[in-house]
């Protein structure tokens, strides 16, 4: 007597995909995540709500974006795409290297996207782009604002993307075969040469900042990343990517200037003065020379502020700074230490230099200072000048000039008068 077959419950496709050990993700044509299997969520640590709607630039390592977008564009016209490797960001901020293959299913009911199957590669370090995607990949590289160059192990330029000419204004044909270091300024050339040698020696990636020279003689601040692909038969060289960081460099320079210079007069501040005085004393010590330090403050500066206002006081300080700079040499340092205090450091000095400084500064201050209000002020500057040897400490040199200034100040009491 036969037995009725045992009913087999239908397989739930979603449960089946969630049970797969390899992650599966559906990505829309706009590179947003539309669905992720349980293994995908487990591998990367994201919840379903956190993954949905996220775009590729939030999940894929920046250096792999060109590869990912190239593959995404090409797979939409294929039943099965090329096998590539990407670094995908986990919820904790780390990246996992995975092998990815896509299948175009944008027009398929119930899918509406590209099905991406993944395999966790752990510590494997391979990168592969199918030949059918090479032209598309090359076009994307050429359109990128980042210049991509290939050097031989000796640092000679073997090839470059179109951005090379856009950034540097140099025709590629005439640049091939030249050392990349020849296209950098002196300091950058030394750092770049060391980086190239290091990549060749140990195969480790190097990142550095440098200045490359343009065809018109100007320089461009760039961030360079060097990767060893000498043994890759498809490349056979060191791949260098160059990104323009002019705005970052200018912003950093501005911040450094603000940190070391007085905002009102644009003169070096105390920290920069101490540094330069230290260098001057060290040089004097090596040469058995001497350094002149002039320390001065404005006579009765409080009276100026009280009678004419703080804006007028600022005008006086700016004009004094201008006059001190005008009578100094390029190698001298004129600084504002705060308030109404100024300091002047002169290298290779002697007692005659000290006397000359006193007379020239005194003469410069004889001329009245014209305020925006139309008033003319005669302003005195009490000045102490000392000449010290290189064995004197920075603080002691300033202290001696300060004491000398107060001795002078006692001898010449008084404030500004109207001219």
């Amino acid at each position: 007597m036969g037995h009725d077959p045992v009913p087999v419950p239908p397989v739930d496709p979603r449960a089946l995909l969630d049970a797969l050990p390899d992650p599966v993700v559906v990505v829309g044509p706009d590179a947003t995540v539309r669905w992720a299997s349980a293994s995908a969520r487990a591998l990367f640590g994201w919840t379903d709500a956190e993954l949905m709607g996220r775009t590729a630039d939030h999940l894929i390592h920046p250096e792999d974006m060109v590869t990912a977008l190239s593959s995404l564009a090409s797979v939409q016209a294929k039943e099965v795409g090329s096998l590539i490797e990407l670094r995908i960001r986990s919820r904790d901020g780390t990246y996992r290297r995975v092998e990815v293959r896509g299948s175009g299913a944008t027009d398929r009911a119930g899918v509406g996207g590209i099905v991406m199957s993944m395999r966790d590669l752990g510590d494997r370090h391979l990168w592969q782009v199918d030949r059918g995607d090479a032209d598309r990949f090359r076009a994307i590289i050429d359109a990128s604002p980042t210049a991509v160059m290939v050097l031989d192990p000796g640092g000679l330029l073997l090839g470059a993307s179109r951005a090379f000419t856009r950034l540097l204004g140099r025709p590629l044909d005439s640049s091939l075969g030249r050392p990349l270091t020849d296209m950098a300024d002196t300091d950058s050339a030394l750092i770049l040469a060391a980086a190239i040698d290091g990549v060749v020696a140990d195969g480790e990636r190097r990142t550095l900042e440098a200045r490359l020279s343009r065809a018109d003689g100007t320089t461009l601040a760039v961030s360079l990343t060097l990767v060893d692909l000498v043994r890759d038969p498809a490349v056979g060289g060191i791949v260098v990517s160059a990104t323009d960081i002019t705005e970052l460099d200018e912003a950093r320079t501005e911040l450094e200037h603000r940190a070391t210079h007085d905002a009102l007069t644009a003169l070096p501040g105390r920290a920069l003065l101490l540094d330069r005085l230290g260098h001057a004393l060290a040089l004097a010590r090596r040469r058995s020379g001497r350094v002149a330090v002039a320390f001065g403050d404005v006579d009765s500066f409080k009276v100026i502020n009280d009678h004419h206002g703080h804006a007028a006081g600022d005008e006086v300080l700016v004009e004094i700074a201008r006059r001190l700079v005008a009578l100094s040499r390029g190698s001298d340092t004129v600084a504002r230490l705060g308030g109404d205090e100024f300091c002047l450091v002169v290298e290779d000095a002697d007692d005659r230099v000290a006397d000359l400084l006193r007379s020239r500064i005194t003469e410069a201050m004889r001329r009245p200072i014209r305020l925006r209000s139309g008033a003319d002020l005669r302003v005195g500057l009490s000045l102490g000048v000392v000449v010290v040897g290189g064995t004197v400490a920075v603080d002691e040199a300033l202290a001696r000039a300060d004491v000398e200034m107060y001795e002078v100040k006692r001898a010449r009491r008084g404030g500004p008068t109207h001219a």
Side-chain angles (χ1 to χ4, degrees):
M1 186 173 178
H3 298 280
D4 293 333
V6 177
V8 178
V11 174
D12 181 353
R14 182 182 294 269
L16 176 62
L17 287 172
D18 280 341
L20 288 176
D22 289 337
V24 177
V25 175
V26 177
V27 179
D30 58 352
T32 60
V33 177
R34 296 191 174 182
W35 183 82
S37 66
S39 54
R41 300 192 298 271
L43 178 62
F44 302 114
W46 299 101
T47 66
D48 197 45
E50 290 170 332
L51 271 178
M52 293 310 99
R54 281 189 178 266
T55 55
D57 59 317
H58 287 102
L59 298 172
I60 297 173
H61 194 285
E63 295 176 4
D64 295 344
M65 280 298 297
V66 172
T67 306
L69 294 178
S70 174
S71 177
L72 188 66
S74 66
V75 78
Q76 296 187 52
K78 297 179 179 180
E79 185 175 344
V80 178
S82 307
L83 196 66
I84 62 172
E85 292 185 16
L86 301 174
R87 283 164 290 180
I88 307 295
R89 188 164 71 92
S90 300
R91 193 173 186 276
D92 62 4
T94 61
Y95 286 88
R96 299 191 72 94
R97 188 177 293 271
V98 295
E99 188 176 66
V100 182
R101 188 186 295 275
S103 175
T106 303
D107 299 329
R108 190 172 301 174
V111 181
I114 297 142
V115 179
M116 314 290 289
S117 62
M118 305 179 183
R119 176 159 296 176
D120 185 16
L121 294 180
D123 294 329
R124 288 176 57 190
H125 300 289
L126 300 171
W127 185 41
Q128 178 178 340
V129 177
D130 185 75
R131 285 174 179 253
D133 294 331
D135 290 341
R136 186 184 300 273
F137 183 71
R138 186 180 298 110
I140 292 173
I141 288 293
D142 279 339
S144 170
T146 297
V148 179
M149 297 165 276
V150 179
L151 312 179
D152 74 1
L156 302 181
L157 184 66
L158 300 179
S161 65
R162 292 177 184 174
F164 172 84
T165 299
R166 289 199 299 270
L167 287 179
L168 302 182
R170 296 175 177 273
L172 181 57
D173 291 347
S174 60
S175 301
L176 294 177
R178 290 184 55 192
L180 183 58
T181 52
D182 284 358
M183 305 174 204
D185 67 10
T186 303
D187 293 338
S188 298
L190 295 174
I191 299 171
L192 179 56
I196 293 172
D197 291 342
V199 169
V200 172
D202 59 27
E204 294 294 325
R205 179 190 304 260
R206 297 289 194 283
T207 299
L208 64 142
E209 292 183 9
R211 287 191 172 273
L212 299 183
S213 58
R214 291 190 176 104
D216 62 5
T218 60
T219 60
L220 178 71
V222 294
S223 173
L224 300 177
T225 300
L226 289 71
V227 180
D228 178 21
L229 292 178
V230 174
R231 296 170 185 81
D232 188 325
V235 181
I238 300 169
V239 176
V240 181
S241 61
T243 303
D244 183 357
I245 58 169
T246 299
E247 292 185 1
L248 173 63
D249 187 62
E250 290 175 349
R252 196 160 46 199
T253 299
E254 175 65 19
L255 288 174
E256 290 174 355
H257 185 273
R258 290 182 182 181
T260 57
H261 288 72
D262 172 51
L264 177 65
T265 63
L267 293 178
R270 178 178 293 273
L272 186 54
L273 170 73
L274 296 178
D275 180 69
R276 290 186 181 177
L277 178 55
H279 283 294
L281 291 170
L283 183 63
R285 187 162 55 249
R286 290 194 298 270
R287 296 178 177 177
S288 298
R290 303 169 79 194
V291 177
V293 181
F295 193 101
D297 70 5
V298 182
D299 293 332
S300 302
F301 186 63
K302 185 177 183 301
V303 176
I304 296 175
N305 282 329
D306 291 345
H307 288 189
H308 299 275
H310 288 280
D314 287 347
E315 291 179 54
V316 168
L317 295 175
V318 170
E319 177 59 20
I320 291 175
R322 189 193 66 78
R323 294 184 186 186
L324 292 177
V325 170
L327 61 82
S328 64
R329 304 174 303 177
S331 59
D332 299 338
T333 296
V334 181
R336 181 189 176 202
L337 302 186
D340 61 333
E341 295 179 337
F342 293 87
C343 187
L344 178 61
V345 174
V346 180
E347 299 178 8
D348 298 323
D350 54 28
D351 292 333
R352 290 175 300 175
V353 169
D355 292 338
L356 182 62
L357 267 180
R358 290 189 186 95
S359 63
R360 292 187 67 184
I361 293 175
T362 299
E363 182 62 29
M365 295 308 300
R366 290 188 194 281
R367 303 192 311 273
I369 294 176
R370 170 66 60 89
L371 301 179
R372 291 193 185 95
S373 65
D376 286 337
L377 293 183
R378 293 192 182 279
V379 179
L381 187 68
S382 295
L383 188 72
V385 184
V386 296
V387 178
V388 298
T391 57
V392 175
V394 170
D395 291 343
E396 183 182 350
L398 286 176
R400 289 187 188 181
D402 191 21
V403 169
E404 176 73 13
M405 183 268 292
Y406 275 104
E407 291 296 328
V408 171
K409 203 171 188 68
R410 289 192 189 95
R412 49 172 302 201
R413 299 289 183 180
T417 60
H418 287 84

